[in-house]
Amino acid sequence: MNSDSSLPSLSTSSSPAPDEQMPSDEGRDVPQVRLKGEGGRLLLLLPPELDTPSAPNTWTEVCRQLQQRLMAGERFWQPHTPVHLMTRDRLLDGRQLQTIADTLTDAQLILKRVYTNRRQTAVAATMAGFSVEQQPIAQLSVTQSNPPPEGKALVEPLYIQSTVRSGVEIRHPGTVVVLGDVNPGGSIVAEGDVLVWGTLRGLAQAGSAGNGLCLIMALRLEPTQIRIADFVARAPEAPAQYQPEVAYVSEGGIRIVRAADFSRDRPI
Amino acid sequence: MSRIIVITSGKGGVGKTTCTANLGMALAQRGHKVAVVDADFGLRNLDLLLGLENRIVYTAVEVLAGECRLEQALVRDKRQPNLVLLPAAQNRTKDSVSPDQMKKLVNALTKVFSYILIDSPAGIEMGFQNAIAPAKEALVVTTPEISAVRDADRIVGLLEANGIRNAHLIINRIKPAMVAQDKMMSVKDVQEILAIPLIGVIPDDEKVIVSTNRGEPLVLAAEASQRGLAGQALQNIVRRLEGETVPFLDLTPPADDFLARLRRLFRPTE
Ligand SMILES: Nc1ncnc2c1ncn2[C@@H]1O[C@H](COP(=O)(O)OP(=O)(O)OP(=O)(O)O)[C@@H](O)[C@H]1O
Ligand SMILES: [Mg+2]
């Protein structure tokens, strides 16, 4: 898979807590552990440390989130991809850095370099034998992953070559192609089209940033729900025989037609 | 090489412990040295199903705390000397054990036992993580209900993400008559969603409940009639686990017409 530059933000909630979802990318700070592809490398972003003891971003929580992200995203990078750890102003000791490195190793990833703007963390990382860069890393645009401005071209499509199972949500600022099924309880949220080369039984959202021209296509369309831009449609009645179908927006609603009948020059 | 198999489901009460007890017993009957590990800390009941409750002295927690040796905690089954149980502590929570500790325990068991079956608790939290940590293979148990299948699907995804790709499906408590009336998901319906290889279909059978209450796994019964179709299905799973090709039981409900019944009579069943 060559989607290094366009890794999806992927969340799977292994606790039923609703706060599992990342609130927003726009905030100044990343509130959860995140993995992000950028220019062929993988960035691991740690959330900032909060003062309150009840804060969710304790070290144990960070470990748990990291594990979870790695589990969920395993298919989205190749083994031995170098990882750049962005600790920002978080204080980490050598043991904690080693834990992160070990966790990454278990997921067949390599901790390549530690970026920090805390001297102590930099020292600890150096002592533990990691290569370190102590600087606010502006050029890596960690903190400003803003939604693309109006009219910006979508990133390249994301190919997922596996079944999207219950509990997995895939978000991608472009088109998503699934070579497999999307099961009930699984969901795809794409700013572009959603193509499922298999059975779509879960939830699919195309044009999630508002583009009503986006499409949802599946070899078998029996979704829990589909959304295109701001339109929502529930599962169509199960037809006697399944055929490849296309869902699109027309005359203020979502329509579904057989792929064979879907014409490119449909009225918009 | 020992085989380390976790029996897991997501949803509770679908038959994990029943399967663990019976498959463990059936494997032991075939001459393998088998350890069944109860990973359901705090809610253990594998010992009950095996009828070994009153013989537990130590549990996995004492072993890990260094309060006893592993051998001391293993409960040997009098009826079947090839089978031992490593009990879970009843009074501790699931957090009293870590995945690394589970790995260590199970790894020690591999020195002696050729099959290690781990009975996972329901859910996807710590207890589940503990149960799957040492496993190389998984048996995913589900009943033909939408909620159970949904949870099983989640489990399959989590197993994959944890590097356990060798997972097989057991569909438990199927009621052929209800399937025939379209009131229950069929084997095919379940398989279509989960898309992992099927290794067994166990019919709903009150003999299972009776054997549960007696602490005597179904497969122990001397007579085939006492084991029933469910017992036979469990034995077939073990044969398939060992690489045999065994046709699936004919679970179609008895048809009304005489000819069909006759035909079924003469069809070679497993
Ligand atoms: N094939 C079957 N036919 C009839 N009853 C069954 C069958 N399989 C299991 N049961 C019954 O269902 C109940 C739950 O089974 P069991 O304890 O094995 O489930 P479990 O998945 O281990 O549950 P838990 O999630 O609580 O650990 C028991 O009373 C058992 O006798
Ligand atoms: Mg149980």
Side-chain angles (χ1 to χ4, degrees), chain A:
Chain A
M1 245 161 290
N2 57 350
S3 51
D4 284 330
S5 60
S6 56
L7 283 164
S9 67
L10 184 145
S11 76
T12 135
S13 40
S14 66
S15 61
D19 60 336
E20 204 54 68
Q21 186 79 42
M22 279 173 299
S24 155
D25 275 350
E26 294 161 58
R28 204 173 48 83
D29 287 314
V30 181
Q32 287 205 322
V33 172
R34 274 188 61 189
L35 280 155
K36 181 171 185 286
E38 202 167 89
R41 55 191 172 176
L42 208 50
L43 308 187
L44 169 57
L45 319 180
L46 298 189
E49 209 153 5
L50 303 175
D51 312 335
T52 42
S54 62
N57 288 324
T58 60
W59 171 242
T60 1
E61 179 60 16
V62 165
C63 290
R64 193 191 66 78
Q65 286 178 12
L66 172 60
Q67 210 105 38
Q68 202 181 324
R69 293 287 176 268
L70 287 171
M71 264 167 52
E74 193 191 26
R75 305 178 192 96
F76 300 97
W77 53 77
Q78 290 164 322
H80 315 302
T81 304
V83 176
H84 298 252
L85 172 63
M86 309 294 169
T87 69
R88 297 187 274 180
D89 56 2
R90 210 185 168 92
L91 277 178
L92 292 171
D93 61 29
R95 194 181 46 81
Q96 291 172 323
L97 286 163
Q98 192 56 51
T99 305
I100 292 177
D102 291 345
T103 311
L104 290 171
T105 309
D106 286 346
Q108 292 200 302
L109 294 170
I110 306 153
L111 179 53
K112 176 94 179 179
R113 188 176 282 256
V114 180
Y115 297 80
T116 176
N117 26 24
R118 297 296 287 263
R119 221 188 79 80
Q120 292 101 309
T121 305
V123 172
T126 319
M127 299 275 285
F130 298 105
S131 66
V132 184
E133 209 155 300
Q134 190 192 347
Q135 54 159 44
I137 4 81
Q139 74 271 29
L140 290 167
S141 68
V142 178
T143 44
Q144 54 269 50
S145 53
N146 294 323
E150 284 308 317
K152 189 187 162 193
L154 293 174
V155 304
E156 63 199 69
L158 170 71
Y159 283 82
I160 297 166
Q161 201 160 353
S162 80
T163 307
V164 177
R165 295 188 184 272
S166 174
V168 174
E169 179 182 55
I170 288 161
R171 292 176 165 268
H172 181 63
T175 290
V176 174
V177 181
V178 180
L179 308 171
D181 297 343
V182 179
N183 278 353
S187 58
I188 310 282
V189 180
E191 286 187 22
D193 299 331
V194 176
L195 285 83
V196 180
W197 197 254
T199 306
L200 171 55
R201 301 189 187 89
L203 183 148
Q205 184 171 4
S208 63
N211 185 350
L213 293 177
C214 291
L215 306 171
I216 295 173
M217 310 177 212
L219 291 187
R220 279 176 67 150
L221 197 60
E222 36 180 323
T224 322
Q225 194 188 84
I226 51 181
R227 300 183 193 166
I228 300 176
D230 296 328
F231 299 98
V232 181
R234 278 190 306 119
E237 279 301 302
Q241 215 189 341
Y242 286 102
Q243 300 207 0
E245 288 178 305
V246 182
Y248 64 98
V249 175
S250 164
E251 291 159 16
I254 292 181
R255 286 164 180 273
I256 296 173
V257 296
R258 293 191 312 173
D261 299 339
F262 177 76
S263 105
R264 266 281 153 204
D265 52 5
R266 67 192 192 279
I268 295 162

Side-chain angles (χ1 to χ4, degrees), chain B residues 11-26:
Chain B
K11 191 168 154 65
V14 297
K16 295 177 291 296
T17 306
T18 305
C19 285
T20 310
N22 278 284
L23 298 178
M25 186 61 80

